[in-house]
Amino acid sequence: IPPKIKRYPMIEVNDFIPLEVVHPGAILTEELKERKIRQSDFAKRLGMTTGYLRCLLKGRIDFNEKIAL
């Protein structure tokens, strides 16, 4: 006699779709504001120009592995 298999209801694909898609730059912008960190100071810490950081935050440039880490 095979062991009893526990059945689970099927999970719909829509269960995994977020209600709102938010760009990582928008989240980071809010974090910088909340922590009162200027974009220029943060850019210096990351070793990039303020202009490059602004492009990241606005979604003009994609985040990559190097920046994410």
Side-chain angles (χ1 to χ4, degrees):
I1 300 175
K4 191 171 184 178
I5 299 173
K6 202 172 194 180
R7 301 275 179 198
Y8 296 98
M10 293 298 292
I11 297 173
E12 296 292 326
V13 172
N14 290 338
D15 292 343
F16 297 107
I17 297 175
L19 296 175
E20 183 180 350
V21 178
V22 181
H23 187 272
I27 297 168
L28 185 53
T29 299
E30 289 301 315
E31 277 297 315
L32 292 173
K33 285 180 187 176
E34 288 291 320
R35 296 173 187 238
K36 298 178 181 162
I37 300 173
R38 296 185 320 181
Q39 289 180 4
S40 58
D41 294 337
F42 192 64
K44 285 178 189 175
R45 283 185 172 184
L46 296 177
M48 63 178 65
T49 65
T50 305
Y52 189 82
L53 176 63
R54 284 189 185 132
C55 287
L56 279 170
L57 297 177
K58 291 183 179 187
R60 295 182 186 149
I61 300 172
D62 290 331
F63 283 78
N64 59 34
E65 298 85 15
K66 183 179 177 184
I67 294 169
L69 296 174

